[in-house]
Amino acid sequence: ISQFFSRLTERFVNGVDILMDTFWRIWTDLLDVLGIDASNLTHYFSPAAIANNPTRALLLIGAILLAYWFLSLFLGFFFYLLHMLFGRFFWIARVALFTLSCVYILQKYEGDPEHAVLPLCFVVAVYFMTGPVGFYWRRNSNSSLEEKMDHLDSQIRLLNIRLSRVIESLDRGSD
């Protein structure tokens, strides 16, 4: 059983590596189209390079904002799809993805646990952002005030009907 799970986690890690490599290639191609050399990104973060070429800093900020936008768009669509597929059991999908992500990171950085801290913090942040404080849970609560008032009005009518039935049954019981 131990050998089965070790092979299974190894195949899972290899599959995620291939997926991440594909995303990285797409991202580097997009950066190349924008005129940013993706092979030497650390050069763009040095203060001397930004001071010498302010347009490069603007391009870097634009690339970072574009990356954030693509990531939020992808995660939003992915978790919306999961929420639609699983419905009330979305929490199971969240826990499974969180567990698989942690297994991937811990397996990937098995020999160097200090480098696993930042990816684990990112995974925990995504886990909490998709929880009850996230966009997916708050979306249904954005109904208008009129709809909420109509709902409360119907609830009050139902309570009044039930109360009148209880009072009538008590009156009949006392007669």
Side-chain angles (χ1 to χ4, degrees), residues 31-91:
L31 287 177
D32 286 339
V33 167
L34 290 173
I36 297 174
D37 182 24
S39 63
N40 191 12
L41 284 178
T42 57
H43 170 71
Y44 292 101
F45 290 108
S46 70
I50 293 174
N52 292 336
N53 196 350
T55 57
R56 186 175 286 171
L58 187 62
L59 252 169
L60 181 66
I61 291 171
I64 289 172
L65 290 175
L66 187 66
Y68 175 75
W69 182 67
F70 277 136
L71 183 67
S72 66
L73 193 67
F74 173 74
L75 286 176
F77 175 73
F78 182 69
F79 282 109
Y80 177 73
L81 184 67
L82 284 179
H83 200 280
M84 292 299 293
L85 287 175
F86 290 103
R88 291 185 181 265
F89 301 105
F90 176 64
W91 65 271

Side-chain angles (χ1 to χ4, degrees), residues 29-154:
D29 289 344
L30 184 63
L31 287 177
D32 286 339
V33 167
L34 290 173
I36 297 174
D37 182 24
S39 63
N40 191 12
L41 284 178
T42 57
H43 170 71
Y44 292 101
F45 290 108
S46 70
I50 293 174
N52 292 336
N53 196 350
T55 57
R56 186 175 286 171
L58 187 62
L59 252 169
L60 181 66
I61 291 171
I64 289 172
L65 290 175
L66 187 66
Y68 175 75
W69 182 67
F70 277 136
L71 183 67
S72 66
L73 193 67
F74 173 74
L75 286 176
F77 175 73
F78 182 69
F79 282 109
Y80 177 73
L81 184 67
L82 284 179
H83 200 280
M84 292 299 293
L85 287 175
F86 290 103
R88 291 185 181 265
F89 301 105
F90 176 64
W91 65 271
I92 294 173
R94 282 181 57 234
V95 169
L97 284 173
F98 177 71
T99 304
L100 289 174
S101 300
C102 289
V103 165
Y104 170 75
I105 291 169
L106 293 175
Q107 182 76 19
K108 188 75 176 167
Y109 297 106
E110 187 176 11
D112 196 12
E114 292 86 21
H115 287 100
V117 173
L118 189 60
L120 283 174
C121 289
F122 177 73
V123 167
V124 170
V126 169
Y127 178 76
F128 283 114
M129 284 189 295
T130 59
V133 296
F135 169 71
Y136 318 98
W137 297 82
R138 287 183 280 142
R139 180 183 315 178
N140 295 333
S141 67
N142 287 340
S143 57
S144 69
L145 183 61
E146 293 173 4
E147 291 174 4
K148 290 179 181 178
M149 293 297 290
D150 288 339
H151 179 70
L152 284 175
D153 190 38
S154 65

Side-chain angles (χ1 to χ4, degrees), residues 159-172:
L159 285 174
N160 282 337
I161 291 170
R162 289 179 185 157
L163 183 63
S164 64
R165 286 182 184 164
V166 168
I167 291 172
E168 285 176 9
S169 67
L170 287 175
D171 286 342
R172 276 188 249 144

